[in-house]
């Protein structure tokens, strides 16, 4: 990416005098330099999320994709994504489980907590989301060890937990499908 941002013209295809620095292998946890902050592409992030994205840009992109996977999984039963109902609880539970599966519980908790730091969100909504995030992390810990199709098993566990009253919902809705 650094090389792509260098000024060049059609007279030469030689590497710049900085190529050796740009092309050396990156350390495992070294931040990617996109030439801008990745978090600036997402103005709706909380301050904590912006710091998290800037610290973990590669993982943040994967986490964002996992949020869309969670949405897709939950849409198999909830046609409309709403706030504070079962569809909302499902998204939080499944996203937390997917993050835990991909990155581990510590990373997942840090990102999920950063995501919930919106000062404009009512406390009851934040509490619901945090509770369902935690439930998704806890439930996924066992499923990760035994499941071959984690995504569908996470969703099934959500439905079981919902039926058992382990999921926090502020507004009861109806199952759409």
């Amino acid at each position: 990416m650094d090389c792509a941002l260098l000024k060049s013209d059609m007279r030469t295809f030689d590497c710049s005098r900085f190529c050796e620095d740009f092309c050396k292998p990156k350390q495992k946890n070294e931040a990617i330099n996109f030439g801008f902050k990745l978090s600036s592409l997402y103005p709706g992030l909380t301050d904590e999320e912006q710091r998290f994205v800037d610290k973990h840009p590669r993982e943040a992109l994967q986490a964002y994709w996992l949020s869309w996977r969670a949405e897709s999984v939950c849409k198999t039963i909830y046609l409309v994504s709403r706030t504070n109902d079962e569809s909302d609880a499902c998204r939080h539970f499944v996203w937390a489980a997917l993050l835990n599966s991909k990155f581990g519980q510590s990373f997942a908790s840090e990102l999920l907590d950063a995501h919930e730091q919106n000062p404009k969100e009512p406390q009851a909504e934040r509490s619901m989301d945090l509770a369902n995030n935690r439930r998704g992390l806890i439930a996924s810990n066992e499923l990760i060890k035994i499941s071959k199709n984690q995504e569908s098993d996470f969703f099934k566990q959500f439905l079981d937990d919902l039926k058992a009253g382990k999921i926090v919902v502020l507004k009861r809705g109806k199952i759409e499908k």
Side-chain angles (χ1 to χ4, degrees):
M1 183 59 92
D2 291 322
C3 287
L5 298 174
L6 289 174
K7 292 181 180 179
S8 63
D9 58 35
M10 297 304 291
R11 291 181 288 188
T12 180
F13 291 101
D14 293 336
C15 284
S16 99
R17 61 187 173 96
F18 300 108
C19 277
E20 186 175 303
D21 292 331
F22 291 152
C23 295
K24 72 181 178 188
K26 302 273 186 209
Q27 297 297 322
K28 182 176 178 169
N29 292 323
E30 188 176 344
I32 303 170
N33 180 4
F34 289 111
F36 60 90
K37 285 187 172 188
L38 185 62
S39 63
S40 64
L41 296 175
Y42 304 99
L45 298 177
T46 67
D47 291 344
E48 290 78 9
E49 281 178 303
Q50 288 177 357
R51 283 190 284 280
F52 186 88
V53 168
D54 291 339
K55 184 177 171 185
H56 307 283
R58 185 175 289 128
E59 294 86 352
L61 288 171
Q62 293 173 7
Y64 181 68
W65 182 83
L66 290 175
S67 75
W68 282 96
R69 286 300 315 141
E71 177 88 23
S72 176
V73 166
C74 294
K75 281 198 171 199
T76 62
I77 194 167
Y78 303 107
L79 294 178
V80 179
S81 292
R82 295 188 176 104
T83 303
N84 300 328
D85 70 354
E86 291 87 349
S87 68
D88 190 9
C90 182
R91 288 189 309 274
H92 283 269
F93 181 100
V94 173
W95 189 36
L98 291 170
L99 287 170
N100 189 20
S101 176
K102 177 75 177 169
F103 300 110
Q105 189 166 345
S106 177
F107 181 93
S109 290
E110 184 181 349
L111 175 56
L112 293 165
D113 290 347
H115 179 69
E116 299 305 334
Q117 298 307 310
N118 182 350
K120 295 178 183 174
E121 184 177 39
Q123 183 59 43
E125 290 180 18
R126 182 179 307 131
S127 294
M128 176 189 147
D129 295 345
L130 287 168
N132 293 321
N133 290 346
R134 294 293 168 259
R135 186 69 206 138
L137 290 172
I138 290 166
S140 65
N141 279 331
E142 286 304 311
L143 290 171
I144 288 167
K145 296 174 191 171
I146 61 172
S147 175
K148 290 186 176 144
N149 186 355
Q150 292 176 352
E151 201 170 274
S152 65
D153 287 338
F154 294 157
F155 181 63
K156 182 184 176 312
Q157 186 64 52
F158 166 77
L159 293 174
D160 290 347
D161 284 2
L162 180 63
K163 188 181 269 187
K166 296 178 181 178
I167 301 297
V168 177
V169 177
L170 297 179
K171 274 192 308 197
R172 289 282 170 200
K174 60 180 180 147
I175 293 179
E176 303 283 341
K177 276 187 175 177

